[in-house]
Amino acid sequence: MTVGTKEIVGILGRDIISVFYENNIVLSKEAYEYILEEKIDIEALRGYIEYLQEKNMHIAEKSSLLDIYLPKMKEKNFKFEKKETILDKITEEKIEVSIKSRDIPARDTDPEIKILKKIETDSEGNFEDFLETFRDRYEKISRIFRERVNIRDFQNISTIKKGENVKVVGMVRKKLNAKTKNVILTIEDFSGVTKVFISRKSSINTDMIFEDEVICVEGKCGGNIIYAQNIEFPDIPLVREVNRSEIDVYSVLISDLHVGSKMFLEKEFLRFLKWLNLKIGDEKQKHTASKIKYLIIAGDVIDGIGIYPNQKKDLEILSVYDQYKKLYELLSLVPDYIQIIISPGNHDVARPAIPQLPIPKEFAPDLYDMNNVLMVGNPAFFSVHNVKILVYHGDTIFDIIEKIRVPQSDVVSPMIQMLKKRHLGPMYGKKTGMIPERKDHLVIEEVPDVLHMGHVHVNGYTVYRGTTLINSGTWQAQTEYQVLRNMIPTPCRVPIFNLKTHKTMITNFG
Ligand code: FE
Ligand code: ZN
């Protein structure tokens, strides 16, 4: 009985979300649950949507459903007729310009792609490998500290003496929040271990200190404890010369297509592809499209299978081979002068822990056969037209969001923390599976000009100390899973990055 009910709810739930989504209305968790509980008819809901639209409301809350709409509905019957949307109008291609008759700078420009770092897997996943990962992490990050003028003279933990002012660089082994609200760290370098006492009265923000990260501690030594006066993170330089393309070419950054999911927004994605082909948009938009040389995808290109319980009911395409085939069909509509770089995510068939190797050829042979497609790992570090781009799906971002206590819609704050800590997953194996390698591939050794991530399904960007941080959002509509967790995706917004000026534009295809 219970199982049966659940199944029905699953199907019904998805339909409900789509009806709201199609009309640009976000459904609140409470309203959603109420609708399911009361089994409110979809046709009746359409009336409710009309009501919200009339009132110019974009969020469906339980209160408006309960207090205003339902009593009204009892009085009269709302009838719903589907109105023509802007999308329907545009996809008619009223304004088609032949691609051959135009000047297309990107077509006449040769691609310039350099792989700056390759992930080589060398792990057997044993204890030795864990030690090696941490050893490599400490070495790389302490080297970054050595480059900083005010920190380069840091000393070994074994040499600190009672009564002296000391400066050490250590990995945080343990972080203890005492009841007194003071914080006690245990830090370690190759020479020894010490405790660090951070008084609740100090100005140090201890929320930002994570276990397993490498930090610099300055303070007074009191034997086997340092009374911290200052904590420094490796960070990226305050000012630097960013790398630029000499000519005006653009890169488009997308992620989280989830092809194969019933919620994949194919119509909108096709619209985006039409724009890449200069078939839709005004003159200015076509002009922008004509300069696009790269399409960089930060993972979750397919929805995969068996990624979460009961995923099957959300799938349109039930095999990963067919999901990649479908992606191939879509990407073959991208003009062939645009270079496509594909990095995997947790929904792809690469191993389910980071770092990930590229999507294996056996699953996506057609993509490998395309001349303009390059498959890379996760993370991946490369340059296009001189600009250094670090692509990372963002698997650890929710761990950081939780730690630094920002809302899930704030996708850039955790990305800034990654740069400050010079690490893409500072806390080892919290929610995110990580595979220990001899090398720590998640250390940000070289400062990127662009850090491109996905995974949160929320679009956002900022510039931090010269580096552009972009989370590219998604092409998947709100899923039932997201509704229940109050996660509101921002699909179909495409960041376009100018490789010469470093300006970012967002175009909405939704
Ligand atoms: Fe995703
Ligand atoms: Zn993901």
Side-chain angles (χ1 to χ4, degrees), residues 256 300 346-347 393 455:
D256 299 271
D300 283 1
N346 58 311
H347 280 254
H393 180 58
H455 193 51

Side-chain angles (χ1 to χ4, degrees), residues 27 209 232 244 259 353 367 382 404 409 411 423 494:
L27 187 58
I209 302 173
E232 292 275 346
R244 294 174 193 278
V259 170
L367 289 171
F382 53 84
I404 63 174
S409 56
V411 286
H423 204 282
V494 175

Side-chain angles (χ1 to χ4, degrees), residues 312-329:
K312 217 169 163 183
K313 67 175 168 43
D314 299 332
L315 289 178
E316 186 86 58
I317 304 171
L318 292 167
S319 120
V320 284
Y321 295 94
D322 292 343
Q323 291 180 1
Y324 281 120
K325 181 105 191 159
K326 171 89 186 183
L327 176 73
Y328 157 74
E329 284 165 10

Side-chain angles (χ1 to χ4, degrees), residues 187-323:
I187 65 163
E188 186 182 358
D189 67 7
F190 292 141
S191 76
V193 186
T194 182
K195 289 221 170 354
V196 175
F197 179 85
I198 306 169
S199 163
R200 64 170 191 274
K201 287 175 196 147
S202 88
S203 58
I204 298 165
N205 183 356
T206 51
D207 279 350
M208 297 300 162
I209 302 173
F210 301 173
E211 279 179 355
D212 305 326
E213 72 166 323
V214 180
I215 56 170
C216 171
V217 177
E218 290 174 87
K220 195 111 188 155
C221 179
N224 202 12
I225 193 160
I226 299 171
Y227 296 96
Q229 283 150 358
N230 184 30
I231 302 274
E232 292 275 346
F233 298 96
D235 221 323
I236 61 171
L238 200 56
V239 271
R240 72 174 203 283
E241 201 60 57
V242 295
N243 302 293
R244 294 174 193 278
S245 161
E246 278 168 18
I247 55 163
D248 213 21
V249 281
Y250 302 162
S251 177
V252 163
L253 309 170
I254 62 171
S255 70
D256 299 271
L257 279 72
H258 291 266
V259 170
S261 159
K262 282 180 180 158
M263 307 305 273
F264 168 55
L265 296 162
E266 184 171 349
K267 218 157 116 192
E268 287 80 352
F269 193 72
L270 284 169
R271 199 173 167 209
F272 161 63
L273 294 177
K274 279 184 180 167
W275 171 70
L276 288 182
N277 282 287
L278 315 188
K279 287 189 175 174
I280 54 163
D282 58 28
E283 266 316 297
K284 210 177 149 213
Q285 289 164 331
K286 282 182 189 165
H287 183 72
T288 304
S290 73
K291 292 184 174 180
I292 291 165
K293 189 70 201 166
Y294 305 98
L295 170 62
I296 302 173
I297 313 179
D300 283 1
V301 294
I302 60 162
D303 205 46
I305 54 161
I307 308 290
Y308 56 88
N310 281 321
Q311 186 187 11
K312 217 169 163 183
K313 67 175 168 43
D314 299 332
L315 289 178
E316 186 86 58
I317 304 171
L318 292 167
S319 120
V320 284
Y321 295 94
D322 292 343
Q323 291 180 1

Side-chain angles (χ1 to χ4, degrees), residues 318-467:
L318 292 167
S319 120
V320 284
Y321 295 94
D322 292 343
Q323 291 180 1
Y324 281 120
K325 181 105 191 159
K326 171 89 186 183
L327 176 73
Y328 157 74
E329 284 165 10
L330 291 165
L331 293 184
S332 55
L333 300 173
V334 172
D336 60 3
Y337 57 81
I338 295 181
Q339 301 297 306
I340 307 170
I341 301 175
I342 303 175
S343 168
N346 58 311
H347 280 254
D348 286 291
V349 290
R351 62 182 185 187
I354 48 172
Q356 282 178 311
L357 297 172
I359 296 159
K361 193 175 174 179
E362 49 175 310
F363 290 99
D366 306 308
L367 289 171
Y368 274 87
D369 282 344
M370 285 173 72
N371 286 329
N372 59 333
V373 167
L374 175 67
M375 296 291 215
V376 295
N378 169 36
F381 190 43
F382 53 84
S383 71
V384 294
H385 266 82
N386 282 330
V387 177
K388 293 178 179 173
I389 303 183
L390 177 57
V391 176
Y392 170 49
H393 180 58
D395 310 67
T396 49
I397 201 167
F398 286 113
D399 287 342
I400 301 178
I401 282 175
E402 200 183 298
K403 265 249 137 140
I404 63 174
R405 298 180 205 169
V406 291
Q408 265 167 12
S409 56
D410 179 2
V411 286
V412 294
S413 292
M415 292 172 81
I416 291 175
Q417 287 304 316
M418 290 179 191
L419 285 182
K420 278 179 177 291
K421 295 168 187 312
R422 296 293 286 264
H423 204 282
L424 296 171
M427 301 159 286
Y428 200 87
K430 286 283 172 320
K431 278 182 198 145
T432 314
M434 290 188 200
I435 293 181
E437 299 278 348
R438 303 251 156 83
K439 298 230 156 51
D440 188 343
H441 296 284
L442 301 181
V443 176
I444 305 172
E445 285 178 82
E446 228 185 297
V447 181
D449 298 306
V450 176
L451 174 58
H452 170 206
M453 288 174 43
H455 193 51
V456 196
H457 294 206
V458 175
N459 176 273
Y461 75 98
T462 191
V463 176
Y464 175 69
R465 297 188 166 190
T467 296

Side-chain angles (χ1 to χ4, degrees), residues 106-222:
R107 189 184 49 195
D108 306 327
T109 305
D110 287 334
E112 287 175 27
I113 305 175
K114 275 187 211 130
I115 301 291
L116 301 174
K117 208 169 115 182
K118 232 184 173 154
I119 295 169
E120 263 130 28
T121 169
D122 47 19
S123 167
E124 281 150 38
N126 52 36
F127 186 65
E128 289 277 289
D129 293 321
F130 274 93
L131 292 184
E132 280 304 314
T133 311
F134 282 132
R135 180 179 286 271
D136 189 58
R137 178 184 299 193
Y138 182 83
E139 258 170 22
K140 282 173 177 156
I141 295 180
S142 60
R143 220 176 289 145
I144 294 167
F145 276 120
R146 283 275 182 232
E147 283 160 21
R148 286 185 47 181
V149 185
N150 56 334
I151 298 178
R152 65 165 52 127
D153 59 338
F154 68 84
Q155 58 193 112
N156 281 341
I157 289 177
S158 64
T159 66
I160 57 171
K161 285 193 190 80
K162 196 172 176 176
E164 282 178 356
N165 286 322
V166 296
K167 191 192 290 176
V168 296
V169 167
M171 184 177 283
V172 180
R173 279 298 186 205
K174 211 184 257 168
K175 180 182 166 190
L176 207 118
N177 296 294
K179 276 197 191 111
T180 52
K181 291 206 174 117
N182 298 320
V183 169
I184 297 158
L185 309 176
T186 307
I187 65 163
E188 186 182 358
D189 67 7
F190 292 141
S191 76
V193 186
T194 182
K195 289 221 170 354
V196 175
F197 179 85
I198 306 169
S199 163
R200 64 170 191 274
K201 287 175 196 147
S202 88
S203 58
I204 298 165
N205 183 356
T206 51
D207 279 350
M208 297 300 162
I209 302 173
F210 301 173
E211 279 179 355
D212 305 326
E213 72 166 323
V214 180
I215 56 170
C216 171
V217 177
E218 290 174 87
K220 195 111 188 155
C221 179

